[in-house]
Amino acid sequence: MEFGRIIISETAANSENPQDVINSNISVINLMREEKIDDDLIQEDALMSYYLDYYTSQYTEGNFSQFVYNSRWNKELNELIEEGLALIGAEKHLELFQTQAKRVRLLSSVKIDKFLRGKLEGVNPTRDLLNNDTFFELEENLVTLNAGFLKSHPDTEVLAVDEMFAVLEEFVGHEIKRE
């Protein structure tokens, strides 16, 4: 049985900071994973938002090369991110992602393997080739778009923390330890 809901805490939904909405969704997904719930059973747009945040934070922290390096350039993940960028209406970011993906595809498999096996720091021409600062100049704010997408999603439910746990416990069939 699939968990067809996106759950966000009331606190996050009322926050001025859009990242709080995204983090609330991430917390729910992490909790479900800790409870050994398979990703296939998690609401797909909730997961997509989760991975968009991963992409955004990797790019923000260490540019495109860090995303490629830390994600191991995963085909499924890349498709999810492309789909996600389109879905939240980040057309400029989607265009940039596709341009960057093309750049990776033009590298030989030997070069990519060497890059993924090596160190990201230090002298690294492949890293430098993959980086693109355009990301930071785009007018579209991925955090705002991602949070807006979650808040306006038809499957989103805004709940108090106790209610969130009650819903998740009902789904997993047992009590979940609260930290």
Side-chain angles (χ1 to χ4, degrees):
M1 188 178 84
E2 187 192 322
F3 188 77
R5 304 188 245 192
I6 299 172
I7 296 179
I8 293 164
S9 74
E10 283 175 349
T11 318
N14 296 326
S15 168
E16 295 291 304
N17 182 352
Q19 186 66 48
D20 292 343
V21 173
I22 297 167
N23 290 346
S24 184
N25 176 55
I26 289 170
S27 299
V28 171
I29 291 174
N30 286 340
L31 191 67
M32 292 176 87
R33 285 177 166 172
E34 281 165 27
E35 292 298 323
K36 309 284 183 264
I37 301 292
D38 197 74
D39 275 7
D40 296 344
L41 301 177
I42 298 173
Q43 209 284 355
E44 61 181 355
D45 287 342
L47 265 181
M48 197 198 58
S49 165
Y50 179 98
Y51 288 119
L52 273 181
D53 178 74
Y54 174 75
Y55 168 70
T56 306
S57 56
Q58 289 296 311
Y59 209 127
T60 306
E61 288 165 22
N63 214 305
F64 192 72
S65 63
Q66 182 175 309
F67 168 73
V68 173
Y69 187 83
N70 287 340
S71 70
R72 317 314 286 163
W73 196 242
N74 179 302
K75 188 177 182 294
E76 269 177 52
L77 176 63
N78 295 344
E79 285 169 7
L80 261 180
I81 287 165
E82 245 183 278
E83 212 175 289
L85 291 170
L87 210 54
I88 67 169
E91 290 164 21
K92 292 181 176 86
H93 276 285
L94 176 59
E95 207 175 298
L96 174 65
F97 185 82
Q98 289 167 334
T99 302
Q100 290 298 102
K102 197 179 206 171
R103 224 178 242 192
V104 177
R105 283 194 300 271
L106 290 174
L107 293 172
S108 68
S109 56
V110 171
K111 220 173 213 162
I112 286 279
D113 287 348
K114 190 178 170 204
F115 172 71
L116 294 177
R117 279 203 312 273
K119 279 198 172 83
L120 196 54
E121 307 78 33
V123 176
N124 191 330
T126 305
R127 176 200 60 211
D128 300 342
L129 177 79
L130 292 177
N131 284 343
N132 185 338
D133 290 338
T134 307
F135 179 91
F136 304 102
E137 295 153 21
L138 295 178
E139 294 292 305
E140 298 168 333
N141 185 320
L142 288 180
V143 173
T144 309
L145 289 170
N146 193 349
F149 173 75
L150 286 174
K151 281 175 92 167
S152 64
H153 198 285
D155 295 339
T156 296
E157 288 178 36
V158 176
L159 302 171
V161 172
D162 285 344
E163 293 174 309
M164 289 170 77
F165 272 100
V167 166
L168 290 168
E169 286 170 346
E170 188 185 321
F171 183 72
V172 298
H174 62 83
E175 205 176 309
I176 298 171
K177 266 202 298 256
R178 291 163 168 76
E179 275 141 37

